Amino acid sequence: MDKYVKRENLRATDMEVKEIYGNGAYKVLELTLAGGETMPRHFVTSDAFIVTEKGQAEVVFQDRSATLLPGETLHIPVREVHSVTASEDFKAIVIF
């Protein structure tokens, strides 16, 4: 079963999520968002790590938010609902 469990309000955007590696234990994705674009609220069924390569984005949780800058890593606990909004063109590696 895919580890992406629920996404709300998906629509056509410039957002690109490309799997660059995967096996039965984990996946590695490349996430690309244009400045001003938002990845809608969603959660995954395992812990996830976002490693920022380029740009800046804000990850918004129900009770807090975190700003991501190049070179920074963020841990997202299992089933924690969040969205990602790029304040400028953004590229990151997501491991879950």
Side-chain angles (χ1 to χ4, degrees), residues 2 29-30 39 47-48:
D2 194 356
L29 307 176
E30 182 180 80
M39 179 182 227
D47 285 337

Side-chain angles (χ1 to χ4, degrees), residues 14-25:
D14 292 333
M15 177 177 68
E16 182 178 351
V17 179
K18 179 172 51 173
E19 183 173 327
I20 55 177
Y21 181 80
N23 63 29

Side-chain angles (χ1 to χ4, degrees), residues 13-56:
T13 66
D14 292 333
M15 177 177 68
E16 182 178 351
V17 179
K18 179 172 51 173
E19 183 173 327
I20 55 177
Y21 181 80
N23 63 29
Y26 65 92
K27 289 185 180 183
V28 178
L29 307 176
E30 182 180 80
L31 169 64
T32 305
L33 295 169
E37 188 171 27
T38 296
M39 179 182 227
R41 291 168 37 93
H42 63 283
F43 65 88
V44 294
T45 58
S46 66
D47 285 337
F49 297 88
I50 300 176
V51 182
T52 307
E53 292 186 326
K54 174 183 136 183
Q56 180 175 330

Side-chain angles (χ1 to χ4, degrees), residues 29 31-33 35 37 39 42 48-61 64-76 82-95:
L29 307 176
L31 169 64
T32 305
L33 295 169
E37 188 171 27
M39 179 182 227
H42 63 283
F49 297 88
I50 300 176
V51 182
T52 307
E53 292 186 326
K54 174 183 136 183
Q56 180 175 330
E58 182 176 21
V59 181
V60 179
F61 301 93
R64 68 190 187 289
S65 65
T67 300
L68 289 173
L69 299 170
E72 295 184 339
T73 300
L74 176 68
H75 169 245
I76 300 176
H82 61 281
S83 63
V84 182
T85 300
S87 54
E88 57 187 63
D89 289 351
F90 180 75
K91 185 175 179 182
I93 299 297
V94 182
I95 304 161

